[in-house]
């Protein structure tokens, strides 16, 4: 499969998973959504459309987003994500979306040394994590994916911490 | 429509259009394929898969591709595309793929001051151009899009120059 086909499949899985979370009202009643890795801001655009009443806070090293998808200053946190996001520990986020896989095994393995703990520390009990990388943690329960998303394309968890 | 949905639609149109060109054997018998803008190299990966017997030459300002999709040195031309690609004038390329829209009207308008002339100068008679931006030129004939690609999502031309 070409990398173009793989990319289309991954973005489609991401979109379908976020729509599933919205359609099924899976989030706790309160709490912000954290976008871990803003990038071009396309997913941020989708989150704003599907979760219009939530505060959405984005984290990235620097702003590289299209001008139409740049969060307001109070919702954009710049710096090393592993450091800056840790400052939000205990604030009980309703959901975290993280799509920060680099496409290189070694870099992704390094990310996975800190991302699962961070996600658990940020989420409210019952909070939802959608991730492009698998998150292995004793306080995260893997949830079934909606139909049409191949296993391994995207990952869905609920925190019971 | 969210920018994520718009992006999925555009990438899908791009993939379907490239597959259409391959399936219908639309290219002249000889000539290279020019990838104008390598980026992450996902489309280059697809071109290699679908046009395995063609030389594919990529142009970009700098190499930002995934390591699995970096062309051999003799097929990677670095520098300002408008300048470097002009050096290939008259070499009768069989096909050009250009997906260098910036998502900003002013930047795209600037690109369109030079891209159509460049495409015509590079293509062999009967050569094919697939582009994310519309190319208006007296020597380019717009070809019908395959079913499923909404008008305006992607553009297909044949040179009769």
């Amino acid at each position: 499969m070409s990398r173009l086909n793989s990319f289309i499949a991954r973005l489609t899985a991401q979109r379908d998973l976020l729509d599933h979370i919205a359609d099924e009202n899976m989030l706790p009643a309160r709490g912000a959504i954290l976008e871990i890795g803003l990038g071009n801001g396309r997913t941020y655009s989708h989150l704003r459309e599907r979760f219009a009443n939530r505060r959405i806070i984005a984290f990235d090293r620097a702003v590289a987003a299209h001008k139409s998808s740049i969060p307001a200053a109070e919702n954009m946190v710049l710096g090393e994500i592993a450091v800056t996001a840790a400052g939000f520990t205990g604030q009980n986020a309703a959901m975290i979306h993280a799509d920060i896989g680099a496409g290189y095994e070694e870099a992704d393995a390094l990310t996975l040394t800190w991302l699962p703990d961070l996600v658990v520390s940020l989420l409210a009990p019952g909070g939802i994590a959608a991730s492009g990388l698998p998150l292995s943690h004793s306080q995260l329960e893997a949830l079934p994916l909606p139909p049409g998303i191949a296993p391994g394309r995207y990952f869905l968890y609920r925190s019971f911490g």
Side-chain angles (χ1 to χ4, degrees), chain A residues 13-14 16-18 20-21 24 26 129-131 142-157:
Chain A
Q14 177 193 104
D16 291 350
L17 187 54
L18 296 176
H20 172 71
I21 294 166
E24 301 294 324
M26 293 177 71
S131 173
L143 299 181
L145 298 170
I149 299 183
R153 278 269 174 232
Y154 232 81
F155 302 89
L156 180 63
Y157 304 93

Side-chain angles (χ1 to χ4, degrees), chain A residues 106-127:
Chain A
E106 284 185 19
D108 290 347
L110 187 61
T111 298
L112 289 176
T113 62
W114 55 266
L115 185 59
D117 280 341
L118 179 70
V119 164
V120 168
S121 75
L122 296 173
L123 281 179

Side-chain angles (χ1 to χ4, degrees), chain A residues 82-160:
Chain A
V83 176
T84 58
F88 286 71
T89 297
Q91 295 204 20
N92 287 326
M95 172 170 143
I96 292 172
H97 172 252
D99 184 21
I100 53 174
Y104 295 105
E105 271 186 34
E106 284 185 19
D108 290 347
L110 187 61
T111 298
L112 289 176
T113 62
W114 55 266
L115 185 59
D117 280 341
L118 179 70
V119 164
V120 168
S121 75
L122 296 173
L123 281 179
I128 294 291
S131 173
L133 293 172
L135 304 177
S136 176
H137 194 289
S138 61
Q139 293 185 62
L140 291 177
E141 174 195 9
L143 299 181
L145 298 170
I149 299 183
R153 278 269 174 232
Y154 232 81
F155 302 89
L156 180 63
Y157 304 93
R158 188 188 299 279
S159 171
F160 53 89

Side-chain angles (χ1 to χ4, degrees), chain A residues 12-80:
Chain A
T12 302
Q14 177 193 104
R15 189 266 319 274
D16 291 350
L17 187 54
L18 296 176
D19 286 351
H20 172 71
I21 294 166
D23 292 343
E24 301 294 324
N25 289 306
M26 293 177 71
L27 301 194
R30 297 171 189 280
I33 293 173
L34 309 186
E35 167 69 335
I36 304 291
L38 177 64
N40 184 288
R42 295 185 179 103
T43 309
Y44 178 74
S45 158
H46 199 74
L47 290 169
R48 287 205 297 193
E49 188 176 290
R50 294 308 316 261
F51 301 94
N53 297 319
R54 297 273 175 171
R55 182 180 178 192
I56 305 174
I57 308 172
F59 299 78
D60 215 330
R61 286 182 181 164
V63 176
H66 188 274
K67 66 181 176 184
S68 65
S69 302
I70 297 176
E74 66 270 23
N75 293 323
M76 181 76 241
V77 182
L78 297 177
E80 285 297 326

